[in-house]
Amino acid sequence: MEILDGKKISNQIKEEIAAEVAQMKERGEKVPHLAAVIVGNDGASMTYVNSKVRSCEKVGFESTLIRLPSTTSELELLKKIDQLNQDDDIDGFIVQLPLPEQIDTQKVIMAIDPDKDVDGFHPTNFGKMALDMSTFIPATPFGILELLERYNVETKGKHTVVIGRSHIVGRPMSILMGRKGWPGNSTVTLTHSHTKNITQIISQADIVISALGVPHFLKAEMVKDDAVVIDVGITRVPDESREKGYYLAGDVDFENVSKKASFITPVPGGVGPMTIAMLLKNTLLAREQHRGER
Ligand code: NAP
């Protein structure tokens, strides 16, 4: 069994990006600038956004964090997005999800200029991804592809079972694993909460990508020998014995599944750090695409 070490690979990617940024600086070019908008003060969202901003600083990007109160109206947020779309200094920006209930998430995603949509959530970018065109790939699936590639995991002709069909993880992942190319060329089954015989389907998988958010859902008896297991899940499980009052659990019973798997991602230290690294990669791509225009 080999660990797909997202922490190590994400650090390598950050070093590669930092080297490119250093060269940009040497050439006197503008460095990439990422803005992040957060509405409200949800603990997990704040942690993610702060970590994204810190990572920008580490690689030499400029970053701007825009904090809006939880009472922000949809119109106010749309105005902020319009400002960011117009601001030539910003190469890419993200709006941290989930948003408060008074705001329609789809409207917000639609309002982002696709050229600055480094999360890859806008239908234009999602459509391009589905058509194998060059675009911003959503950071979590992009990070999983990168891990498979850097560890030379064969995907061609394999059966991939994706658990969960969210727009940010499961759905794009299922498209990417079935695309013509590498990583890809696998036969994909996309499963969800209405899938019948899910245990039987998972037991046939060469590659399992679990993104449902149910701690320890995937047990050793559900996966076949030598399966590749990717755990996307991150759930805060309350635990008073810990300093923070919770611990982070993946979807996979790591201790037992790791004994059967050929490759497996840990939680934490697997897909999570890769997501941030790929957001940086998308921001670098956005800067490169804007070069010459501004
Ligand atoms: P989501 O929007 O809540 O979607 C969960 C999906 O899982 C849904 O498609 C749901 O089916 C399915 N599901 C729920 N219970 C199921 C069950 N018992 N059997 C089969 N399918 C079931 O979740 P998400 O945003 O994709 O996130 C999933 C997990 O990944 C969460 O723990 C989240 O924190 C984590 N995450 C991690 C990263 C990272 O960087 N590592 C990034 C994003 C998300 P229905 O569609 O039928 O409801």
Side-chain angles (χ1 to χ4, degrees):
M1 182 274 296
E2 191 170 358
I3 299 275
L4 297 169
D5 189 340
K7 200 167 175 201
K8 184 176 95 185
I9 301 295
S10 67
N11 282 332
Q12 280 173 12
I13 293 168
K14 284 183 201 166
E15 279 168 25
E16 291 161 15
I17 294 174
E20 284 203 43
V21 174
Q23 285 182 9
M24 287 174 150
K25 278 188 182 157
E26 259 178 48
R27 292 194 296 263
E29 292 174 12
K30 177 187 172 329
V31 300
H33 186 169
L34 176 77
V37 184
I38 179 158
V39 186
N41 42 23
D42 173 70
S45 295
M46 276 310 296
T47 308
Y48 293 141
V49 165
N50 285 332
S51 157
K52 288 168 187 175
V53 169
R54 264 201 316 276
S55 297
C56 280
E57 285 159 11
K58 269 197 190 150
V59 298
F61 286 5
E62 280 184 61
S63 62
T64 301
L65 176 60
I66 299 155
R67 290 189 65 174
L68 301 174
S70 56
T71 50
T72 303
S73 70
E74 188 177 281
L75 190 64
E76 284 165 332
L77 180 58
L78 291 173
K79 273 188 188 157
K80 183 42 83 183
I81 289 171
D82 191 44
Q83 273 173 23
L84 292 168
N85 285 340
Q86 306 299 329
D87 186 342
D88 278 351
D89 197 52
I90 306 279
D91 295 296
F93 66 95
I94 58 163
V95 179
Q96 186 67 38
L97 303 179
L99 291 167
E101 58 183 15
Q102 73 273 16
I103 299 175
D104 180 340
T105 303
Q106 266 184 352
K107 263 194 200 165
V108 168
I109 290 172
M110 293 292 287
I112 298 173
D113 177 349
D115 287 342
K116 294 190 175 189
D117 168 41
V118 285
D119 260 339
F121 295 164
H122 190 283
T124 298
N125 290 323
F126 204 93
K128 283 183 172 177
M129 178 198 68
L131 295 169
D132 295 336
M133 294 163 76
S134 164
T135 187
F136 302 117
I137 295 174
T140 302
F142 194 11
I144 293 169
L145 293 184
E146 193 77 17
L147 266 183
L148 294 172
E149 197 174 327
R150 294 204 186 208
Y151 278 90
N152 229 350
V153 177
E154 181 60 274
T155 58
K156 186 170 69 181
K158 304 290 183 190
H159 180 202
T160 300
V161 172
V162 180
I163 315 170
R165 58 178 163 184
S166 75
H167 296 167
I168 61 169
V169 190
R171 183 76 52 89
M173 201 67 239
S174 69
I175 294 169
L176 292 162
M177 290 303 285
R179 72 183 177 168
K180 209 166 183 166
W182 181 69
N185 277 336
S186 71
T187 304
V188 181
T189 306
L190 180 58
T191 65
H192 45 76
S193 69
H194 296 280
T195 301
K196 284 190 180 141
N197 303 326
I198 193 165
T199 310
Q200 195 197 340
I201 294 169
I202 294 168
S203 72
Q204 293 164 6
D206 303 303
I207 303 171
V208 184
I209 302 176
S210 186
L212 68 160
V214 178
H216 305 144
F217 169 87
L218 197 74
K219 305 273 191 290
E221 55 272 24
M222 292 160 84
V223 298
K224 75 176 183 188
D225 285 338
D226 294 328
V228 175
V229 179
I230 309 285
D231 190 354
V232 185
I234 308 177
T235 307
R236 286 184 174 199
V237 180
D239 181 351
E240 291 309 325
S241 70
R242 315 243 175 167
E243 200 183 316
K244 288 183 172 170
Y246 65 86
Y247 71 95
L248 294 180
D251 289 349
V252 176
D253 172 8
F254 183 87
E255 194 187 335
N256 295 306
V257 174
S258 60
K259 290 176 187 147
K260 280 179 100 177
S262 54
F263 292 93
I264 189 165
T265 59
V267 175
V271 175
M274 290 301 293
T275 298
I276 296 193
M278 302 323 277
L279 174 68
L280 299 177
K281 208 157 179 167
N282 276 341
T283 308
L284 182 65
L285 179 67
R287 177 68 223 130
E288 283 164 357
Q289 286 174 352
H290 297 149
R291 192 186 281 148
E293 297 167 22
R294 51 184 194 248

